[in-house]
Structure formats: structure tokens, C-alpha cells
Amino acid sequence: MGYLNNSVVTVDAILTTKGRELLAKNDGSFRITQFALADDEIDYTLYNPTHPSGSAYYGQAIENMPLLEAFPDETQIMKYKLTTLPRGTAKMPILDVGYTNIVIKQGASLAITPQTLNYLGGNQNEASGYTATISDVRLLSTFEGVGIDSPQTNALNVNSTTTLGTNVSATVVGTTINLRATTVNTLFGANTALYATMTIVGRDSGARLQVPITITKVS
Amino acid sequence: MSFNRLEADDFVVSADSITAGIFTDSQIPTITTFFTSSTQRTSNSGDYYLNVFSNAATSSLEFAVTYGNELGSGSQAYNLDVDGKSPSSTVYGQYRTLVLGDENADFTFGSITSSDFWAVSMERSRYKESIFPGSTTLLLRGPDGVISLTDNSQVASSVVFNDAGRVFQLVSGSAGTVFTTLESNGYSIDSGSYGLFLPDIATYILNPRALSNDEADGGIGLDATLTSALTATDSPNLNTIFTAITHSNASSFTANSEETITSDFVFVRPRSSQFNYSENPSFISGSTGEVLYSSFINAPTTYITTVGLYNDTNELLAVAKLSKPLEKDFTKEALVRVKLDF
């Protein structure tokens, strides 16, 4: 990790781990077709709309900040996307999954249906669905997304069942995310619970929510 | 919406040739000190080639020198009952296949054919894709003096190709400039050029006949040992060429590497009406999603720090970080050029 030289405006570009993986697959999935922008590292509380020197100085504390170099781990970058919303938007889209903390007993199932609040004039399910990423897929015997039927999404959901090397995270897409906690006792060792996080991102709105998951041992 | 489609006009592919010093420290194109490894020299591989380093560290491997002889002369026979089969004949056959692609062909230097040669083969990680023609200056010292060699790529009227790609003649000169004191082409017609320069396989093939001439005829009196394989006891010619490289008064080897970098430029163009709100938690006040400041409702300001490039399934393939935050609001458009090197 290092800081970028901010005396001149430059762009430091790298392939992500996922990008390298898809490039190596050579199956046509490494094809850049769209872009998104993010404001990772920005703290908007530093923005001062009452700066005594006037509007030219509102963003002074942000504009001169040095930025860190890009991380190749795609789960650690592009966390907070910029979104296109109508002018006059007073409330930002936020995700609601009905849980602030998910606790599942070993072998039990749970279906999560995310909803986006304040989006396109109300609360609704996003047409493109939601991306859900579990940080440690070993904790779940079932982790699937359902409700979005398109060739791209189906391909993504099939690929998500593949665990390569030490990469034990998994991502699925759907309007409903089905979970079933593992029944494998050996994962617990001497512990009575296993912990992970699930990150859910609205594929249209970019709204993001991270929920802790706890799997409790039954016997 | 968080994603914008890229249009065909947003992509530009460019290929650029990059040259650099060929040795360990790529900022310095010349090395003046040369070392060998006693471990490698006494091992089995020492019968075939000598690795040459620019300092005592084994990480500084720069090139290898070897000697090839069609008759196996100059190195010890594999079996004393079988004449003509020795490391030097193996090396000769290896390079003949690699460079000429014909087991009946001979190496031709200028217009003179030869049944033996010395070869200098650059370390793979040093030369990237090839040696940059016109960048070589190799000083060799023999009993009759010192010669500076370069390639004739800058004066050759056309590029000649063989099984090893481009072929240039090694001539008297420096950094691509041919010295015409002896002959206008930089070498003696009677003994042929000083060798072949094969930039695409990063190899110099040296012609012993031209180097063995006396100084008046353009040589340095550097003779290869042609003892029969049956009576040879070691590989003296490896030491001969290494000594010629390292024993000149101002021993020096200069060359540049060359590689083609293919770059994919992606032009990212957020419009004035786009990307003016943020899902950053600090942009939001409270749990219901209200924007942080009331002024953000009609005049939001965001700061772009990161550009993500995605495929159709929203998988993040590449990412670009700006060196400083770029202010964005409803009155501003931006154009960010992202360069991906392959």
C-alpha cells in the first residue's frame, strides 16, 4: 500500500484479482463494457458548506487529500459508488433486508429478500436484483440467488459455486438470496459459533449493506 | 443508476515500443565488470556455457557465453571411442537448428562460412522481447589489441531474416555507428564479419576467424582452441571469450532491451447530470437515508476517487485510482483516461 503523488492528477490503473482470473479463463468474460465511479476514502463530514471564506473553500479539506493506491481485491474497492439520481433528491437509496444481524442454527435455512428504500420514488425491489457476497462460503451449504433469469446472471450464479485455492468468498445475484447453514461439525472446532459477513449491493442503485452472519453449533 | 455503458468510441488500443538498458539495473545500459560462478563453471553445465554476472551477486546474471564447433573440437569428447561428439558439437548443432533451421547449412559471416563460433546469449529476464538494434557496443580484447563491435542495422539497406528472425552483421563500430577505417562495411571481406546479431533471440554469434586476424587485418589475434575432441581435456574456448570480454582495458558491454507494450485506453465520461449523489455512508445522515447537508438536495457535490471497469455481469475487471479527488456536481463533466497495459 502507498499514497499516490497528488502534485499532478494521474490515474493508477490495475487489473483486479477477478479481472486476472477472467483474463486467464480466456472465455470472453474479460470484456469491459461499462464503468462506475466511486468515492472510496472520502469523508463528507469534512465538507464545510459554512466555510467563512466562501463556496470555493467548502471542499478544501477533501480536495487536497492524498489517495491510496488501488487495491486489487475487488471486494475492497469501489465500495461506495456514485449514483445518478434526479436533482432534488433528499433521501438516498438504502437497503433493507429485515435484519441487522443474521443468526442461523447449524443446518437451518433462511431466505433474504432485499428491498431498496427511497429508490425511484418509493420502496421497491430493484429490477436487476442484488449482488450478495459471503466472506466465507464454507459456512453455508446452500448459497444461491434466485429471481433474475438472464444468461449473464445464470452464468455468474453457476460460477459462484466454484471455490478456487484460498479464495473462499462467493457471490450470487438474485432478488432473493437463499442461505442454508453448514452441517459440517469440523468447521467449528472447539467453537460454538462461526462468523462471516454478507455484503449486499443493489445492482441498479449501488446501495450497499453489510450484515454480520453467525452460524451457531447445534450439537 | 451506478453503471454507465461504454461506447465503441471510448476504447483505443495502442502499441508502443519501450526500450531500456538491458542489464540488471535497467537505468544503466552499460556494464563494465564481469564475473563467473566457480560453482557453475565446475558443474556439468560448465562444459557447455559460462554464466556471466555483473557483480558478485548471483541475482545479477546478465548473459552466458558458449562455443560451438561442428567437429566437436575444443572440448572433451563424451566418449573417447567416438570422435566428434562433444559439448562443442552439441552447441553447434543446437544453434544451427535454432538459427539456420537446416542441419546441412553453415554459419555465414558476411560471405565467409565457418564451422565454429562463440555465442553470447542474453538472460531472458533482461532483454524483455528483444535487443534493440543499433544499441550494442561490445569491447573485446585479444593478444593483438581491442575491438569495439556493434551491429550494422543503421546502415543495412534491407533487413535479412532467417529462422531466428532478424539478422544483422556484427561490425567494427559503436552504438550502431560503423567504423569504416578498415573497410566501408566495417569488416574484412576476406575473413567475414565479426559475427551475427540476432536481436529477436537476443544472441550474438561471434566469428572466430575474423577475431583471430592480426590488428592490421581488423582482428585482435583471438584464437579458438581447435584441439580434437579426443585429446581435449576441458572447454578452453569458454574461458577465451570470457577473458576477451572482461580483460579489455576498459571492459564494457552496452545494449538496450526492447519490448512492445500494448495498451488499452478507456475514456470514461461522466456527464453533468450523472454521478452527483453518493452511497458513501458519510454522505447520508441518519438511518432513513437523508443527505448529509440540505444544500446537497439541489446542489450535491461528490468527489470521484475511483473508476471501476466492469463486464456485462457487473464483475469488476479493472480499477483506477485518481491521485487526488475530482470534484463533481451538476455543473461539471469529467473525462478520465484509463490506461491498461498488457
Side-chain angles (χ1 to χ4, degrees):
Chain A
M1 187 198 305
Y3 282 104
L4 295 160
N5 178 3
N6 70 351
S7 59
V8 293
V9 180
T10 60
V11 178
D12 169 47
I14 59 170
L15 296 186
T16 61
T17 306
K18 173 61 74 175
R20 289 200 299 269
E21 176 192 331
L22 297 184
L23 189 63
K25 278 184 177 177
N26 195 29
D27 61 358
S29 54
F30 186 91
R31 183 166 176 268
I32 294 169
T33 58
Q34 51 186 347
F35 74 91
L37 304 176
D39 57 4
D40 296 358
E41 300 181 48
I42 298 296
D43 178 0
Y44 285 95
T45 61
L46 297 172
Y47 190 82
N48 182 6
T50 59
H51 195 289
S53 300
S55 57
Y57 295 87
Y58 289 175
Q60 183 184 41
I62 295 174
E63 287 157 13
N64 294 319
M65 70 181 287
L67 296 174
L68 295 168
E69 292 173 317
F71 304 122
D73 183 345
E74 64 275 3
T75 65
Q76 299 302 320
I77 202 159
M78 295 297 295
K79 283 184 173 179
Y80 307 121
K81 293 188 179 70
L82 301 183
T83 61
T84 300
L85 295 169
R87 195 168 195 161
T89 298
K91 287 187 174 181
M92 296 299 298
I94 55 175
L95 294 189
D96 178 22
V97 296
Y99 300 91
T100 55
N101 183 20
I102 296 172
V103 180
I104 320 176
K105 288 182 180 175
Q106 193 180 2
S109 299
L110 179 69
I112 295 172
T113 304
Q115 191 179 40
T116 307
L117 311 180
N118 313 325
Y119 185 57
L120 301 179
N123 303 338
Q124 53 188 292
N125 296 316
E126 296 186 24
S128 299
Y130 299 85
T131 297
T133 302
I134 182 78
S135 60
D136 189 346
V137 75
R138 295 175 306 169
L139 272 59
L140 303 174
S141 58
T142 300
F143 182 55
E144 63 179 9
V146 296
I148 301 292
D149 188 16
S150 71
Q152 292 90 351
T153 304
N154 293 340
L156 192 67
N157 284 337
V158 169
N159 289 338
S160 69
T161 62
T162 303
T163 301
L164 298 171
T166 58
N167 180 6
V168 291
S169 70
T171 300
V172 295
V173 174
T175 53
T176 297
I177 311 300
N178 293 323
L179 317 176
R180 183 166 182 268
T182 182
T183 55
V184 177
N185 279 325
T186 52
L187 283 175
F188 288 86
N191 302 315
T192 57
L194 297 173
Y195 303 94
T197 57
M198 185 163 64
T199 304
I200 302 169
V201 179
R203 283 161 58 87
D204 291 331
S205 68
R208 184 177 191 273
L209 180 68
Q210 197 165 58
V211 185
I213 292 181
T214 305
I215 310 296
T216 54
K217 191 175 184 181
V218 173
S219 58
Chain B
M1 296 290 284
S2 298
F3 295 96
N4 264 29
R5 299 292 298 182
L6 290 159
E7 305 297 330
D9 288 349
D10 296 327
F11 295 94
V12 173
V13 177
S14 169
D16 298 309
S17 176
I18 307 294
T19 62
I22 201 170
F23 300 109
T24 302
D25 182 352
S26 62
Q27 295 182 340
I28 303 172
T30 302
I31 54 173
T32 56
T33 55
F34 304 88
F35 298 83
T36 56
S37 160
S38 58
T39 304
Q40 190 265 326
R41 183 190 287 265
T42 55
S43 71
N44 180 55
S45 67
D47 293 337
Y48 295 85
Y49 62 88
L50 288 182
N51 282 332
V52 180
F53 306 81
S54 57
N55 58 52
T58 54
S59 60
S60 67
L61 176 60
E62 308 292 3
F63 59 88
V65 292
T66 188
Y67 174 75
N69 187 296
E70 188 174 18
L71 304 175
S73 302
S75 61
Q76 190 171 20
Y78 294 122
N79 186 324
L80 293 179
D81 293 331
V82 182
D83 192 13
K85 301 299 180 190
S86 72
S88 69
S89 64
T90 297
V91 169
Y92 188 91
Q94 176 187 32
Y95 276 87
R96 181 169 57 188
T97 303
L98 181 69
V99 176
L100 305 178
D102 179 354
E103 72 276 15
N104 297 311
D106 292 315
F107 285 91
T108 302
F109 304 105
S111 58
I112 303 297
T113 58
S114 175
S115 58
D116 68 339
F117 60 78
W118 282 293
V120 176
S121 180
M122 306 305 293
E123 163 69 4
R124 162 67 190 88
S125 58
R126 305 283 174 259
Y127 70 81
K128 310 287 176 38
E129 282 181 8
S130 61
I131 302 174
F132 186 50
S135 67
T136 297
T137 304
L138 173 61
L139 294 187
L140 296 177
R141 182 180 183 86
D144 283 354
V146 178
I147 190 167
S148 172
L149 299 180
T150 189
D151 62 80
N152 70 343
S153 60
Q154 294 187 4
V155 298
S157 56
S158 62
V159 179
V160 177
F161 290 83
N162 66 10
D163 271 32
R166 294 170 291 175
V167 184
F168 299 101
Q169 302 295 323
L170 282 176
V171 299
S172 173
S174 173
T177 302
V178 179
F179 298 159
T180 56
T181 310
L182 186 68
E183 296 273 1
S184 61
N185 57 10
Y187 60 86
S188 164
I189 298 294
D190 294 335
S191 55
S193 69
Y194 294 98
L196 304 177
F197 168 52
L198 307 166
D200 297 321
I201 61 168
T203 298
Y204 303 88
I205 307 279
L206 299 173
N207 175 12
R209 182 168 170 181
L211 294 173
S212 67
N213 282 342
D214 57 26
E215 193 170 12
D217 292 326
I220 54 175
L222 190 69
D223 292 318
T225 301
L226 297 176
T227 310
S228 163
L230 288 178
T231 54
T233 55
D234 54 12
S235 299
N237 291 316
L238 302 184
N239 212 41
T240 300
I241 189 62
F242 173 70
T243 303
I245 292 171
T246 194
H247 272 204
S248 56
N249 288 339
S251 57
S252 172
F253 189 3
T254 303
N256 281 347
S257 66
E258 182 180 30
E259 69 177 327
T260 302
I261 301 289
T262 301
S263 302
D264 200 349
F265 291 98
V266 183
F267 292 91
V268 172
R269 308 167 205 262
R271 303 290 185 185
S272 60
S273 62
Q274 298 172 333
F275 301 107
N276 294 319
Y277 293 88
S278 172
E279 288 295 337
N280 190 313
S282 69
F283 193 85
I284 299 169
S285 170
S287 59
T288 56
E290 293 97 343
V291 294
L292 180 61
Y293 303 113
S294 57
S295 62
F296 278 2
I297 296 174
N298 285 308
T301 298
T302 56
Y303 290 91
I304 302 167
T305 63
T306 316
V307 178
L309 302 174
Y310 293 81
N311 62 8
D312 277 335
T313 52
N314 291 6
E315 291 172 300
L316 181 59
L317 305 180
V319 67
K321 280 295 285 285
L322 275 61
S323 59
K324 60 193 302 184
L326 186 62
E327 187 179 358
K328 177 76 180 69
D329 59 36
F330 274 103
T331 68
K332 294 188 176 70
E333 293 198 347
L335 173 58
V336 181
R337 188 185 73 164
V338 180
K339 181 185 177 194
L340 296 172
D341 291 335
F342 294 97

